[in-house]
Amino acid sequence: MAIEKSITDPSLAAVLQISDQARDQAHALLQLADRASDGRATADVQAEIAKQQKQLFTNISHLRGLHRNACLSARDTKAQTAEARQEVDRLHLQLQNLYYEQRHLQGEITGCESYDHKYQQLPLIPVEEFLALRPEYVDSNDDERMFARIEHEREEREILEQRRQELLKRKQKLINDNKRRKDDLANLDQDLEKFIDAAKPILELFEKAP
C-alpha cells in the first residue's frame, strides 16, 4: 500500500495493478490445481482452471507489454534527463562566465574610479568661485559641474592665449620699432661723420686765413 501511494505515474501504477491481478490469479490457480490433484477435478474445476490460465496468460502478456513500455519510457526519461543536465551545465557555465565578467567589469569600474585623471590635476578655480560666476550650475550633479568647470577653464585659457598673442605682436612691433630707430641713429652717425669729414678742408681754410 505504501508503494502504491508513493507511485504517481499512471503507467507504473498500471504495472502494479496488473501484477497484483496476476499474483491473485496465480494463487487461485494453485488452489484449483491442489483441488484437482486431490481427485476432485470436476468439469467445472477444469473449466475454471482453463479460464484462470487464460486470464493469467493475458495478464502476463499485458504485464510484459507494460514492462516493455516502462523500459522504453525509462530510457526516454534518462535521455531527457541527460539533455536537461547538459542544459543545466550549459546554463551553469554561462552563469559562471557572467559572474567572471561581472567581477572583471567591477574591477574595471574600480580602476576607472581610482584612476588619476589628468583633468583632476588641472588648476581649476574653486567650486565656490565657479558657482558665484555661473550660478546656473548650483543644482547640477558633480559630473555636469566638473564638465562646466573644465569648459570654463578652456574658455579662460583661450582668452588668455589671445591676450598673450596680442602682447607678443605688440612686443615684436616694439622690437622692430627700436631696431628701426637704432638703424636710423646709426645712419645719422654715419652722415654726421661724412659731414664732418667733408667740412675739414673748409675748417682748415678758416684756420689759415689771417
Side-chain angles (χ1 to χ4, degrees):
M1 184 64 66
I3 296 177
E4 293 178 354
K5 289 183 178 180
S6 63
I7 294 177
T8 58
D9 186 82
S11 60
L12 295 180
V15 171
L16 289 178
Q17 183 179 1
I18 299 300
S19 298
D20 292 339
Q21 292 178 1
R23 183 191 58 195
D24 294 339
Q25 288 173 352
H27 285 310
L29 189 59
L30 287 174
Q31 291 177 358
L32 291 174
D34 290 339
R35 289 171 59 185
S37 63
D38 293 340
R40 294 175 292 174
T42 62
D44 293 339
V45 172
Q46 293 294 336
E48 184 65 23
I49 290 175
K51 179 181 178 181
Q52 291 294 334
Q53 284 180 341
K54 184 177 180 180
Q55 291 180 353
L56 180 60
F57 291 154
T58 300
N59 286 331
I60 291 175
S61 177
H62 191 192
L63 186 61
R64 287 176 179 173
L66 292 175
H67 179 265
R68 182 173 60 255
N69 292 336
C71 290
L72 294 176
S73 178
R75 186 181 303 169
D76 292 339
T77 302
K78 287 182 179 179
Q80 293 175 4
T81 302
E83 292 178 359
R85 183 180 293 111
Q86 290 178 355
E87 180 66 14
V88 170
D89 292 340
R90 185 182 66 82
L91 293 175
H92 183 264
L93 180 60
Q94 288 183 352
L95 182 61
Q96 293 298 322
N97 291 335
L98 288 176
Y99 282 147
Y100 174 79
E101 185 175 357
Q102 181 186 28
R103 289 194 297 269
H104 175 71
L105 292 176
Q106 287 177 345
E108 291 292 329
I109 292 173
T110 302
C112 291
E113 290 177 347
S114 60
Y115 181 74
D116 187 16
H117 296 278
K118 290 185 177 180
Y119 78 87
Q120 295 177 341
Q121 302 175 3
L122 293 175
L124 303 177
I125 62 175
V127 178
E128 295 78 8
E129 184 177 347
F130 172 76
L131 293 178
L133 295 173
R134 306 290 293 274
E136 63 270 20
Y137 289 99
V138 172
D139 297 329
S140 301
N141 57 42
D142 293 340
D143 293 336
E144 293 176 348
R145 191 176 300 160
M146 176 59 71
F147 181 80
R149 291 175 65 196
I150 294 175
E151 183 65 18
H152 175 266
E153 181 67 21
R154 183 187 66 81
E155 293 173 354
E156 291 295 321
R157 291 193 180 194
E158 287 181 351
I159 294 173
L160 292 176
E161 178 63 19
Q162 291 177 358
R163 292 179 180 175
R164 189 180 73 87
Q165 293 295 334
E166 292 175 357
L167 291 175
L168 286 176
K169 291 179 180 179
R170 290 179 59 187
K171 177 183 177 182
Q172 188 63 39
K173 184 177 181 300
L174 291 174
I175 291 174
N176 293 334
D177 291 343
N178 289 334
K179 183 177 182 303
R180 180 176 54 79
R181 290 174 181 175
K182 287 181 180 180
D183 293 340
D184 291 342
L185 289 174
N187 293 331
L188 181 60
D189 289 340
Q190 292 178 0
D191 292 340
L192 287 174
E193 289 178 358
K194 290 179 180 179
F195 177 77
I196 293 171
D197 291 339
K200 282 182 179 181
I202 298 174
L203 291 174
E204 291 176 354
L205 289 176
F206 281 115
E207 290 176 354
K208 292 179 180 180

